[in-house]
């Protein structure tokens, strides 16, 4: 098990869609490598009274239980065919989907959820269940997108944004841990702009050159920023000597550069802030951008409790 994982199982949310089943297979592949069971969770409340339909509430509830049982049985069979060595357990919950998933993952190493493919409306308006789970879960949350026939994970690079902040540090360590687990490389991305990067642990090139410079030597800036990234990544190279690393220091927005790197990668790991009532506003523009626009799995990770 990777060092940061304290959970005893992996949760995969299933709703009967091909996307959720593919996400569950992705989760099962991880579970197999970690020797952890996978919990397949379907959470939905029973329908309320329907005045126009001659069915009693008890009959509606029974139909709902039967539907949920069939859905979970089908999901278990699908995952067991994909990863027969993994212990697979079905769980049903009567709460709203996000509430049930968050409760089911109280002791989990991660939650894996499927999102509809990029190019659909979901690319721009991410489902409320996914956003709420990402907002409130206390373990890494994987929002899976990809090819249902080949869900992964695989040996392509794991992309991570590295800006030296504590939030970025937690995501970077997780990326290296997962890369070691999957025998995959890491692509570490640092994006920079003309202004000083707030929250960096080391001086940026703009700070080194000073605020009064009339003519900017962009080659010098690029070299300084690349040096900053190398300084940030150095401890992880030491702790994970077997993980190949590509460092990409680019001028531009973090989201744009991470998405570009993800063209050659299998997933991206991003950090998140806080866990209070207003965490949705604190998720960060980069994380939100990737969640809405990426066509591959995005892992949102907070790290240790604040």
């Amino acid at each position: 098990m990777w060092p940061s994982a304290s959970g005893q199982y992996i949760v995969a949310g299933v709703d009967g869609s091909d996307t959720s089943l593919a996400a569950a297979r992705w989760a099962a592949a991880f579970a197999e490598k970690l020797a952890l069971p996978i919990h397949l969770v379907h959470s939905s409340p029973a329908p309320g009274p329907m005045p126009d339909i001659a069915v009693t509430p008890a009959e509606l509830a029974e139909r709902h239980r039967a539907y949920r049982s069939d859905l979970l049985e089908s999901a278990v069979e699908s995952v067991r065919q994909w990863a027969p060595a993994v212990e697979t357990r079905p769980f049903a919950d009567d709460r709203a989907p996000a509430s049930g998933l968050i409760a089911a993952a109280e002791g989990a190493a991660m939650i894996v959820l499927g999102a509809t493919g990029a190019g659909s409306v979901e690319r721009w308006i991410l489902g409320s269940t996914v956003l709420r789970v990402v907002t409130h879960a206390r373990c890494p949350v994987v929002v899976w997108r990809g090819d249902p026939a080949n869900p992964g994970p695989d040996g392509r690079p794991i992309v991570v944004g590295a800006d030296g902040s504590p939030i970025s540090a937690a995501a970077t360590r997780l990326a290296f841990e997962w890369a070691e687990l999957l025998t995959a490389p890491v692509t570490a991305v640092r994006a920079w702009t003309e202004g000083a990067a707030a929250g960096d642990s080391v001086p940026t090139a703009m700070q080194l050159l000073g605020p009064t410079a009339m003519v900017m030597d962009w080659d010098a800036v690029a070299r300084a920023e690349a040096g900053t990234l190398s300084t940030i990544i150095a401890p992880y190279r030491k702790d994970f000597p077997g993980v190949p690393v590509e460092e990409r220091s680019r001028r531009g927005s973090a989201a744009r550069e991470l998405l570009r790197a993800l063209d050659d990668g299998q997933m991206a790991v991003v950090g998140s802030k806080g866990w209070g009532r207003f965490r949705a506003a604190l998720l960060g523009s980069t994380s939100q951008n990737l969640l809405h626009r990426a066509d591959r799995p995005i892992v949102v990770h907070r790290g240790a409790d604040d």
Side-chain angles (χ1 to χ4, degrees), residues 21-31 38 82 110 112 142 144 151-154 178 182 266-267 297 299:
L21 288 177
R25 295 188 194 107
W26 186 99
F30 248 100
I38 182 171
W82 184 263
M110 74 170 92
V112 183
V142 181
W144 185 92
D154 53 47
W178 285 17
L182 299 174
Q266 62 168 308
M267 71 179 86
V299 185

Side-chain angles (χ1 to χ4, degrees), residues 222-288:
R223 288 193 298 271
E225 293 290 349
T228 297
L229 178 57
S230 294
T231 299
I232 291 169
I233 294 301
Y236 306 101
R237 287 186 180 274
K238 180 179 178 181
D239 291 345
F240 302 91
V243 175
V245 185
E246 178 189 358
E247 298 178 11
R248 294 190 185 185
S249 176
R250 299 285 190 272
R251 181 183 179 187
S253 76
R256 184 186 70 186
E257 297 308 322
L258 286 165
L259 286 167
R260 284 180 175 175
L262 196 54
D263 285 341
D264 302 315
Q266 62 168 308
M267 71 179 86
V269 184
V270 293
S272 64
K273 303 178 183 179
W275 297 91
R277 292 177 57 193
F278 302 107
R279 181 175 175 262
L282 297 174
L283 185 57
S285 60
T286 298
S287 300
Q288 293 195 49

Side-chain angles (χ1 to χ4, degrees), residues 147-158:
D147 179 6
N150 186 27
D154 53 47
R156 289 176 295 169
I158 295 176

